[in-house]
């Protein structure tokens, strides 16, 4: 493809003057070198000078140019138009990363994003010798533990793709803040690990509210795999013995207990162990399932063959305590 | 064509969704696909065990794959989350010899060795890639042409796409997936296009954040209904638990009357291939399937 004609529907809204947003349609010929940001620029320069969006570096560093193309979080200066055409065809829609937070056209109010970022102690807590005699060197293997989490540019692509934040629970910290929490927790020079872990352990806002959908991993333009950092925070919660005993942590541990006993999962036992006394609230649901032949009675619980082998492996391979 | 696989059933198919195992076996029979059940396998940890003990989760999943390797059969799964955990284990071990060695050190103590010699795919992709949708179309005796069927892909079969592109020759897009739609069309049903088809059902927070789970499931169900779906189909039993068994709770959370039959993928295929409702275990579905 040398040149390709595309139709772009662009979200237009001005919070100061408009009651409702509308879409403007642009027919544009794009060439194969152009990235999405080039097209945003051309809309502004060639068609409508009032069109508003954020950009600064044009090099995937400042994190300001994120938008949504056909619903997909996209860092405008990094994504090529031909890839968008290949993915979605020649009819494209440009939206701000979050329509609910739109201020003007592509520009959104990121205050909730930054508030959550600020809440996880997003800096190194360390006693620094003001007159060091030599450099403070972190050896490569220790630096690698950060797992590139320090490459995060706070673009919000992950945050605005996260269904928990955007459809269900606005208190959830979301992937970007959790990546940042991991970034400092994995830093050997840092001294606030436990404090940060206590924050991310809180039910209703922390790691336990992640639905493990991998939208963030799919969305991150720096390929940081935010979801894997969330898993590592879970691991740290147990390693540092910060984790609260509650339905969520018992649920994670319950898998081990059940596998130890049956090889496969004992679903009923898992719910009972995780919930403790609160298991009673599941009775109506359990009854409906029982009527449909969906509950296996304890005495009928199937077991994996070679259960002894599984037990032995659990004994010799376990690395965590609760 | 003779296809033979090692089937990792996962736990759900042996407990709360018996209809999934039943319908899978029924479909395999109709298509002359031979399945060997991996009865030695343990639970995959459902993406929760790894939060507690990542290494243990790797060892257990690697052990499961070992049993398919010993049979020298490609392994298939019938649960998205099993697929995720098993394939992720395979990818991590195949790409990291040092980690593989650490895992094999443990497996060696019970006389096993993870080699990395077999593939791990969800039944959906094995069907598409090995059996072929054209061949499947030829076997349809009860076309689903009068139904609008909403495909619900489930996160762990399409994201992270890097993993699934490593595993499957089908290069499914996480943003614009088509495999389930194509399968529905092969059964001559009408696939429903709706925004939530590749979104999350919230299953993994069912216990600690039921409001979130019900909201996400409810949003998906409502979206399908608003796009004229007569039923929904999913390749994942965990999605099925949320969308079918807990449909009432989802309905309450989003404040809409929802009554949408949700079928497991092999239930839908089985019906089109001429299985009776009873043969695909429709009697186990909680939301009544009044259309068969
Ligand atoms: S995996 Fe967790 S953090 Fe990432 S998008 Fe899904 S819910 Fe949000
Ligand atoms: S983790 Fe990735 S997507 Fe999220 S803010 Fe950082 S760079 Fe952007
Ligand atoms: S997904 Fe759940 S049920 Fe299926 S095997 Fe994994 S843990 Fe067991
Ligand atoms: S303009 Fe700076 S990241 Fe895109």
């Amino acid at each position: 493809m040398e040149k390709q004609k595309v139709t772009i529907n662009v979200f237009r809204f001005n919070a100061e003057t408009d009651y409702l947003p509308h879409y403007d349609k642009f027919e544009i010929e794009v060439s194969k070198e152009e990235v999405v940001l080039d097209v945003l620029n051309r809309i502004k320069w060639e068609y409508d000078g009032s069109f508003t969006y954020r950009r600064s570096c044009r090099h995937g560093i400042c994190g300001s140019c994120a938008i949504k193309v056909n619903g997909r979080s996209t860092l405008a200066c990094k994504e090529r138009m031909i890839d968008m055409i290949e993915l979605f065809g020649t009819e494209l829609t440009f939206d701000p990363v979050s329509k609910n937070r739109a201020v003007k056209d592509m520009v959104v109010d990121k205050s909730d994003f930054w508030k959550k970022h600020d809440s996880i102690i997003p800096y190194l807590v360390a006693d620094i010798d003001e007159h060091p005699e030599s450099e403070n060197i972190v050896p490569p293997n220790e630096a690698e533990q950060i797992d590139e989490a320090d490459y995060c540019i706070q673009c919000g692509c992950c945050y605005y793709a996260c269904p928990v934040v955007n459809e269900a629970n606005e208190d959830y910290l979301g992937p970007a803040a959790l990546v940042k929490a991991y970034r400092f927790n994995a830093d050997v020079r840092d001294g606030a690990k436990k404090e940060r872990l206590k924050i991310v352990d809180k039910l209703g806002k922390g790691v336990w509210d992640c639905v493990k959908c991998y939208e963030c991993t799919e969305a991150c333009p720096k390929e940081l795999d935010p979801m894997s950092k969330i898993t590592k925070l879970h691991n740290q919660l147990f390693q540092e013995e910060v984790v609260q005993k509650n339905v969520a942590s018992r649920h994670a541990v319950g898998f081990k207990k059940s596998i130890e006993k049956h090889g496969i999962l004992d679903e009923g036992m898992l719910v009972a162990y995780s919930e403790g006394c609160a298991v009673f609230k599941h009775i109506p649901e359990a009854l409906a399932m029982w009527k449909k032949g969906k509950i296996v009675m304890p005495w009928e619980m199937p077991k994996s063959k070679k259960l002894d082998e599984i037990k032995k492996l659990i004994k010799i391979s376990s690395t965590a305590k609760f | 064509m003779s296809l033979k696989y090692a089937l990792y059933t996962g736990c759900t198919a042996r407990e709360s969704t018996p209809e999934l195992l039943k319908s899978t076996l029924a479909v395999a029979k109709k298509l002359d696909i031979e399945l060997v059940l991996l009865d030695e396998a343990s639970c995959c940890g459902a993406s929760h065990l790894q939060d507690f003990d990542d290494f243990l989760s790797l060892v257990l999943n690697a052990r499961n794959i070992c049993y398919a390797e010993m049979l020298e059969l490609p392994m298939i799964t019938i649960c998205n989350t099993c697929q995720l955990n098993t394939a992720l284990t395979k990818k991590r071990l195949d790409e990291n010899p040092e980690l593989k060695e650490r895992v094999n050190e443990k497996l060696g103590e019970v006389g096993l060795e993870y080699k990395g010699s077999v593939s791990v795919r969800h039944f959906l992709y094995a069907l598409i890639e090995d059996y072929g949708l054209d061949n499947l179309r030829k076997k349809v005796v009860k076309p689903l042409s009068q139904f609008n069927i909403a495909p619900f892909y489930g996160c762990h079969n399409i994201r992270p796409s890097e993993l699934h592109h490593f595993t499957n020759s089908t290069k499914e897009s996480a943003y614009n997936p088509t495999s389930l739609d194509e399968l529905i069309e092969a059964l001559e049903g009408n696939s429903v296009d709706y925004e939530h088809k590749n979104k999350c059902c919230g299953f993994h927070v069912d216990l600690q954040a039921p409001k979130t789970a019900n909201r996400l499931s409810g949003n998906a169900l409502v979206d399908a209904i608003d796009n004229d779906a007569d039923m929904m189909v999913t390749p994942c039993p965990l999605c099925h638990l949320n969308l079918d068994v807990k449909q009432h709770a989802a309905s309450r959370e989003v404040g809409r009357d929802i009554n949408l039959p949700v079928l497991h993928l092999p239930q839908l295929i089985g019906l089109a291939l001429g299985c009776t409702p009873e043969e695909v275990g429709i009697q186990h579905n909680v939301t009544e399937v009044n259309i068969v």
Side-chain angles (χ1 to χ4, degrees):
Chain A
M1 173 197 106
E2 278 309 313
K3 291 228 175 251
Q4 174 77 54
K5 220 173 146 147
V6 286
T7 306
I8 305 175
N9 297 297
V10 181
F11 177 93
R12 303 302 303 269
F13 179 63
N14 183 346
E16 280 179 6
T17 55
D18 301 348
Y19 181 59
L20 284 175
H22 68 278
Y23 284 85
D24 280 345
K25 194 184 256 197
F26 300 95
E27 310 265 350
I28 293 187
E29 209 167 55
V30 297
S31 62
K32 67 174 192 296
E33 303 80 32
E34 282 179 300
V35 292
V36 174
L37 180 60
D38 292 321
V39 174
L40 295 178
N41 286 336
R42 284 177 55 198
I43 292 173
K44 186 173 182 70
W45 298 339
E46 296 169 21
Y47 296 84
D48 182 351
S50 74
F51 179 53
T52 308
Y53 51 98
R54 287 193 180 110
R55 87 273 178 272
S56 176
C57 70
R58 205 211 177 276
H59 285 286
I61 294 298
C62 72
S64 62
C65 67
I67 67 163
K68 277 191 177 165
V69 177
N70 289 35
R72 170 188 184 270
S73 285
T74 302
L75 197 65
C77 69
K78 189 167 176 269
E79 212 66 64
R80 296 188 308 169
M81 282 300 290
I82 47 166
D83 292 331
M84 294 297 92
I85 294 166
E86 194 185 308
L87 191 53
F88 296 118
T90 53
E91 173 113 13
L92 299 173
T93 305
F94 288 180
D95 283 306
V97 271
S98 168
K99 290 188 227 179
N100 296 339
R101 299 168 177 87
V103 176
K104 186 153 191 273
D105 302 337
M106 299 297 118
V107 175
V108 298
D109 176 356
K110 269 177 97 169
S111 54
D112 59 325
F113 176 92
W114 290 116
K115 222 168 102 191
K116 290 172 186 174
H117 170 266
D118 293 350
S119 78
I120 51 89
I121 320 178
Y123 43 83
L124 196 74
V125 178
D127 288 329
I128 302 287
D129 178 358
E130 286 181 24
H131 306 285
E133 288 183 358
S134 62
E135 282 174 273
N136 193 354
I137 293 176
V138 179
N141 63 321
E142 289 187 350
E144 272 168 23
Q145 286 172 22
I146 294 177
D147 199 13
E148 301 190 344
D150 51 338
Y151 290 4
C152 172
I153 55 172
Q154 306 298 337
C155 64
C157 279
C158 58
Y159 184 75
Y160 301 107
C162 174
V164 179
V165 171
N166 295 285
E167 286 189 55
N169 172 11
E170 54 184 35
D171 293 333
Y172 175 49
L173 286 169
L178 293 171
V179 167
K180 185 64 95 183
Y182 176 75
R183 182 255 170 272
F184 286 107
N185 266 13
D187 194 314
V188 289
R189 301 164 299 175
D190 182 76
K193 204 167 173 175
K194 288 204 167 147
E195 235 179 297
R196 244 179 246 111
L197 287 173
K198 277 183 196 147
I199 299 168
V200 307
D201 187 40
K202 289 214 177 88
L203 290 189
K205 60 185 267 194
V207 290
W208 301 106
D209 286 77
C210 165
V211 292
K212 300 171 183 287
C213 67
Y214 286 90
E215 289 277 9
C216 50
T217 294
E218 203 62 40
C220 176
K222 306 299 271 188
E223 294 172 26
L224 302 184
D225 192 359
M227 165 72 206
S228 74
K229 311 296 191 276
I230 295 173
T231 301
K232 288 181 176 175
L233 284 172
H234 277 109
N235 295 154
Q236 287 182 350
L237 282 172
F238 289 101
Q239 282 152 12
E240 299 291 318
E241 298 178 23
V242 168
V243 72
Q244 299 257 340
K245 290 203 163 70
N246 57 32
V247 57
S249 56
R250 281 196 300 264
H251 183 230
V253 177
F255 276 87
K256 177 176 163 182
K257 295 204 176 290
S258 178
I259 297 172
E260 239 165 6
K261 207 163 159 202
H262 306 281
I264 75 171
L265 186 70
D266 182 340
E267 295 171 334
M269 172 253 154
L270 179 71
V271 174
Y273 173 76
S274 310
E275 291 280 17
C277 297
V279 69
F280 291 107
K281 70 180 181 215
H282 294 282
I283 287 180
E285 187 184 293
L287 221 61
M289 289 175 72
W290 181 74
K291 274 194 214 144
K292 294 288 186 171
K294 282 176 164 289
I295 300 268
V296 176
M297 289 301 163
W299 54 90
E300 302 166 326
M301 198 37 226
K303 282 191 191 332
S304 301
K305 280 191 193 158
K306 307 214 175 161
L307 187 55
D308 288 343
E309 190 179 289
I310 295 171
K311 284 184 178 164
K312 179 164 181 200
L313 275 178
I314 291 182
K315 208 165 162 192
I316 61 175
S317 317
S318 289
T319 62
K321 280 203 301 280
F322 185 54
Chain B
M1 176 168 41
S2 95
L3 293 173
K4 189 172 175 184
Y5 301 104
L7 171 66
Y8 175 55
T9 65
C11 318
T12 318
R14 294 184 190 244
E15 296 177 58
S16 55
T17 58
E19 69 277 13
L20 173 62
L21 186 54
K22 199 171 173 170
S23 56
T24 302
L25 298 177
V27 165
K29 199 167 159 207
K30 286 268 184 207
L31 299 179
D32 284 319
I33 296 174
E34 201 180 328
L35 298 178
V36 182
L37 268 62
L38 293 173
D39 290 328
E40 298 87 356
S42 73
C43 172
C44 70
S47 81
H48 293 286
L49 178 62
Q50 71 194 36
D51 289 344
F52 174 50
D53 194 333
D54 185 56
F55 184 70
L56 178 62
S57 164
L58 277 177
V59 170
L60 291 173
N61 280 294
R63 174 181 171 277
N64 291 343
I65 303 173
C66 284
Y67 280 93
E69 291 185 346
M70 286 191 285
L71 294 168
E72 292 181 24
L73 287 176
M75 179 167 168
I76 61 167
T77 61
I78 47 176
C79 166
N80 288 15
T81 300
C82 297
Q83 176 60 31
L84 171 81
N85 286 296
T86 315
L88 195 56
T89 300
K90 178 176 168 58
K91 183 165 186 282
R92 284 174 67 187
L93 298 185
D94 291 358
E95 289 178 347
N96 185 342
E98 190 255 339
L99 188 62
K100 183 170 158 184
E101 201 182 302
R102 273 175 54 211
V103 166
N104 270 333
E105 213 174 279
K106 301 297 175 192
L107 291 172
E109 303 242 350
V110 295
L112 295 172
E113 186 197 353
Y114 171 83
K115 298 194 186 74
S117 57
V118 300
S119 59
V120 179
R121 283 172 304 163
H122 190 287
F123 188 38
L124 167 64
Y125 293 104
L127 262 185
I128 291 175
E129 291 164 13
D130 303 347
Y131 194 88
L133 291 181
D134 286 334
N135 291 323
L136 184 66
R137 189 174 285 114
K138 288 182 207 143
K139 297 272 185 172
V140 172
V141 294
K142 281 207 179 138
L144 305 173
S145 41
Q146 72 271 44
F147 300 118
N148 295 334
I149 305 162
F152 188 82
Y153 282 81
C155 304
H156 293 168
N157 237 3
I158 55 173
R159 281 184 298 271
S161 58
E162 196 198 347
L163 171 69
H164 301 298
H165 293 180
F166 168 87
T167 310
N168 303 323
S169 63
T170 315
K171 301 299 175 220
E172 190 94 272
S173 156
Y175 294 101
N176 199 6
T178 55
S179 63
L180 260 186
D181 291 81
E182 285 159 16
L183 191 127
I184 291 168
E185 305 282 338
L187 307 174
E188 293 177 40
N190 313 306
S191 77
V192 175
D193 192 19
Y194 66 117
E195 207 186 302
H196 280 77
K197 72 175 172 186
N198 55 351
K199 299 288 187 292
C200 180
C201 72
F203 175 83
H204 292 281
V205 298
D206 265 12
L207 291 184
Q208 68 265 36
K211 264 178 92 74
T212 295
N214 293 333
R215 169 67 56 175
L216 296 182
S217 291
N219 286 353
L221 289 161
V222 165
D223 192 10
I225 291 169
D226 289 347
N227 283 283
D228 289 331
D230 302 312
M231 61 173 115
M232 192 180 250
V233 65
T234 175
C236 178
L238 308 182
C239 298
H240 193 267
L241 284 170
N242 263 21
L243 297 165
D244 174 54
V245 176
K246 299 185 74 190
Q247 196 171 105
H248 263 308
S251 169
R252 229 176 300 132
E253 177 63 32
V254 297
R256 275 273 299 266
D257 232 356
I258 301 174
N259 206 324
L260 189 70
V262 184
L263 298 188
H264 296 276
L265 175 68
Q267 286 188 309
L268 188 80
I269 302 173
L271 290 172
L273 297 182
C275 296
T276 63
E278 135 77 23
E279 280 171 332
V280 295
I282 290 291
Q283 63 279 12
H284 294 293
N285 290 45
V286 169
T287 306
E288 208 185 327
V289 187
N290 44 16
I291 44 193
V292 290

